[in-house]
Amino acid sequence: MNKKKRFLKAGGLIYTEVPLDELKIFLQVFRPVCHMCGRSLSFTNLGYIRVGREVELVLCAECLKDYAEYIESGEAGRRC
């Protein structure tokens, strides 16, 4: 019941724990925005979404790509 649901679209591949029709309706009703750039999202430009009791994280495809590059570069783990 309180399980988090995820959707990830990257590089032409889609991983989803949410039925796509349900996700499309959710995006139309709640109109979430990207947490990094503030862009309004639709199914076509959605990169990642995690939903629990509320929307926890939403990233557009471009910000997801930038975030993945940041993680790959190794800078994400540096503290100094």
Side-chain angles (χ1 to χ4, degrees):
M1 180 165 155
N2 293 324
K3 184 180 182 225
K4 294 178 183 179
K5 305 282 186 174
R6 293 171 184 87
F7 170 85
L8 171 68
K9 181 171 58 175
L13 299 174
I14 294 177
Y15 169 79
T16 183
E17 298 171 346
V18 182
L20 294 181
D21 292 335
E22 184 178 325
L23 181 62
K24 289 176 184 177
I25 293 169
F26 179 85
L27 292 172
Q28 289 177 348
V29 171
F30 291 102
R31 300 187 187 276
V33 296
C34 177
H35 285 142
M36 288 180 73
C37 69
R39 178 180 296 143
S40 181
L41 296 173
S42 66
F43 185 74
T44 56
N45 65 351
L46 179 65
Y48 179 80
I49 188 168
R50 183 177 65 226
V51 180
R53 288 184 176 243
E54 59 187 34
V55 176
E56 296 176 354
L57 179 62
V58 182
L59 298 174
C60 68
E62 291 178 28
C63 288
L64 177 63
K65 182 181 173 194
D66 290 346
Y67 186 67
E69 289 173 358
Y70 173 72
I71 297 294
E72 269 186 6
S73 71
E75 294 181 26
R78 295 184 188 162
R79 296 272 183 211
C80 47

